[in-house]
Amino acid sequence: MATPATLFGKGRVEEVGALCEAGDIDVVAVDDALTPIQQRNLERAWGVKVIDRTGLILEIFGRRARTREGRLQVELARLDYERSRLVRTWTHLERQRGGFGFLGGPGETQIEADRRLLVDRIVALKAELTDVRRTRGLQRQARKRVPYPTIALVGYTNAGKSTLFNRLTRAEVLAQDMLFATLDPTLRQVKLPGGRPAILSDTVGFISDLPHELVEAFRATLEEVREADVILHVRDIAGPDSAAEGADVAKVLAELGIDPSSGRTMLEVWNKADLVDPALRDELADAARHAGAVAVSATTGEGIEALLRRLAGLVDSGPDLVLELAQSDGEALAWLYRHGRITAREELNGSVVLSARLDPQALGRFERMRPDAFGPPATRGAGVPPA
Ligand code: GTP
């Protein structure tokens, strides 16, 4: 029977104790939440370090954090976790002391001192984090002035986000067969068919039952996702828990205030298609089409072209504009290729006639820049009228 003092029953405690002894074990991770007292009792019974689920997750996230902000966030979450344990231990000791009629004592002084140290460190970390966030907020503002659409990758841990990110941007971002390989959002440019660039952000890997200590850390990290034009939900379609993981991701997104049904563009990417039995590949492609998803393999590159085409269609769904420019107007042409998507190009007697797609902001700027480039009024979009 389970006992409150050790979480597990006596028999199980002895069984694990014997395993620890026989197997030369240093640390036991318990896949559940332990109270500080349970943790201490188990450590005594087994003679090893014991760590609970939250402690383990914080430890791993701490090691994998790649930017200063990520490290600060996890450190803060960890200190908060430690502080809550310290307070609980302290309350417990206090009760004990009351029962035995002790007053003060070295135990209390030590815990008080530890607690003050923790609080000081938390205050300092929060100030540092505010600073780092202000800088990141400014960078995001600066990016907004450039009318690039943004695409964010989300997904269960190990679904293949970093691998897909690398494949789409041809960048080298740490991709390892290891849980939680990513903590910090990483931003890179991705070229969509038609020449239009977008910004792709790689984000944290989700897990089920996210410890509440980390929800706050996620909230800040996922600002990029909240503001993205398109959210790509990457799923390991070959894994045995694919459906449950997909549901977990939707749940975490909802907890973070990102509601897929709120009109936001969300696209499912069914990754690791190469691991699906070849005999079932056609069925997979059919099911993906049916679900409005795209089946890909980030490793082999299968399906990536289709994904890019789909993204190009999603980031600018406005009408095609017909624009006419002098062939010698290299500046305006380069600007259009940088800020819009060119769907057709024809050269006639020293002019270039382009079919292009621009988002409203880019359209407004281009109209001010080259008011004479537009074709008949019927082909105009809903941009700002020329100045
Ligand atoms: P976290 O950062 O933990 O959230 O993981 P992630 O979603 O970024 O996964 P990552 O890209 O690190 O990939 C996890 C493992 O899956 C790595 O070993 C990849 O090589 C492997 N992987 C990713 N995509 C594919 C794929 O399409 N096919 C196969 N066979 N393996 C893949």
Side-chain angles (χ1 to χ4, degrees), residues 155-164 174-183 202-206 234 271-275 296-300:
Y156 207 81
T157 188
N158 233 41
K161 292 177 301 301
S162 298
T163 313
L164 184 65
L174 187 74
Q176 293 181 15
D177 197 358
M178 186 188 282
L179 296 185
F180 324 110
T182 322
L183 180 69
D202 188 9
T203 60
V204 289
F206 293 179
V234 184
N271 191 35
K272 307 199 185 180
D274 57 299
L275 295 181
V296 306
S297 164
T299 306
T300 67

Side-chain angles (χ1 to χ4, degrees), residues 166-188:
N166 288 342
R167 167 69 66 177
L168 292 173
T169 64
R170 301 187 204 296
E172 273 313 304
V173 171
L174 187 74
Q176 293 181 15
D177 197 358
M178 186 188 282
L179 296 185
F180 324 110
T182 322
L183 180 69
D184 304 300
T186 321
L187 303 168
R188 291 261 157 74

Side-chain angles (χ1 to χ4, degrees), residues 343-376:
T343 51
R345 174 180 175 137
E346 213 178 316
E347 299 190 1
L348 285 171
N349 316 321
S351 342
V352 187
V353 178
L354 299 167
S355 292
R357 291 192 169 195
L358 294 172
D359 65 26
Q361 204 184 347
L363 176 59
R365 283 176 61 182
F366 193 73
E367 278 179 324
R368 281 190 294 274
M369 202 161 110
R370 292 288 184 277
D372 298 333
F374 290 80

Side-chain angles (χ1 to χ4, degrees), residues 52-270:
D52 75 351
R53 183 182 157 81
T54 304
L56 177 65
I57 290 172
L58 287 171
E59 180 79 18
I60 298 170
F61 271 83
R63 285 183 193 200
R64 311 304 308 160
R66 295 201 309 272
T67 66
R68 187 155 153 243
E69 184 179 16
R71 277 194 296 277
L72 290 172
Q73 280 168 354
V74 183
E75 173 76 354
L76 199 58
R78 200 176 57 76
L79 291 181
D80 230 29
Y81 168 75
E82 276 180 18
R83 182 172 60 163
S84 70
R85 323 218 101 202
L86 213 48
V87 171
R88 264 188 278 156
T89 317
W90 189 51
T91 317
H92 165 84
L93 288 178
E94 204 173 41
R95 238 194 348 263
Q96 244 186 10
R97 267 198 311 276
F100 291 106
F102 294 157
L103 275 176
E108 185 199 22
T109 318
Q110 187 54 51
I111 288 163
E112 233 336 76
D114 284 355
R115 201 163 74 95
R116 256 200 313 275
L117 274 179
L118 275 182
V119 171
D120 286 353
R121 181 90 187 104
I122 286 173
V123 169
L125 272 179
K126 280 191 174 156
E128 213 178 320
L129 201 52
T130 308
D131 232 36
V132 174
R133 291 212 176 122
R134 191 177 309 127
T135 312
R136 199 149 74 87
L138 289 174
Q139 286 166 350
R140 206 168 33 239
Q141 287 301 322
R143 276 206 311 277
K144 266 192 193 159
R145 283 196 287 274
V146 184
Y148 288 167
T150 53
I151 301 164
L153 295 171
V154 298
Y156 207 81
T157 188
N158 233 41
K161 292 177 301 301
S162 298
T163 313
L164 184 65
F165 183 81
N166 288 342
R167 167 69 66 177
L168 292 173
T169 64
R170 301 187 204 296
E172 273 313 304
V173 171
L174 187 74
Q176 293 181 15
D177 197 358
M178 186 188 282
L179 296 185
F180 324 110
T182 322
L183 180 69
D184 304 300
T186 321
L187 303 168
R188 291 261 157 74
Q189 187 172 304
V190 57
K191 278 254 186 296
L192 300 178
R196 182 168 193 200
I199 293 176
L200 188 68
S201 71
D202 188 9
T203 60
V204 289
F206 293 179
I207 47 164
S208 59
D209 302 325
L210 193 65
H212 71 89
E213 283 86 351
L214 270 174
V215 171
E216 267 314 301
F218 269 59
R219 208 184 291 282
T221 307
L222 291 179
E223 275 160 28
E224 306 288 350
V225 177
R226 211 170 297 146
E227 298 196 357
D229 295 302
V230 178
I231 298 177
L232 282 189
H233 176 183
V234 184
R235 296 179 54 189
D236 171 355
I237 209 64
D241 299 321
S242 192
E245 290 173 0
D248 274 328
V249 170
K251 196 166 138 229
V252 177
L253 284 176
E255 265 171 33
L256 291 162
I258 299 165
D259 184 359
S261 62
S262 65
R264 189 184 297 276
T265 309
M266 195 128 174
L267 177 63
E268 281 200 11
V269 179
W270 292 4

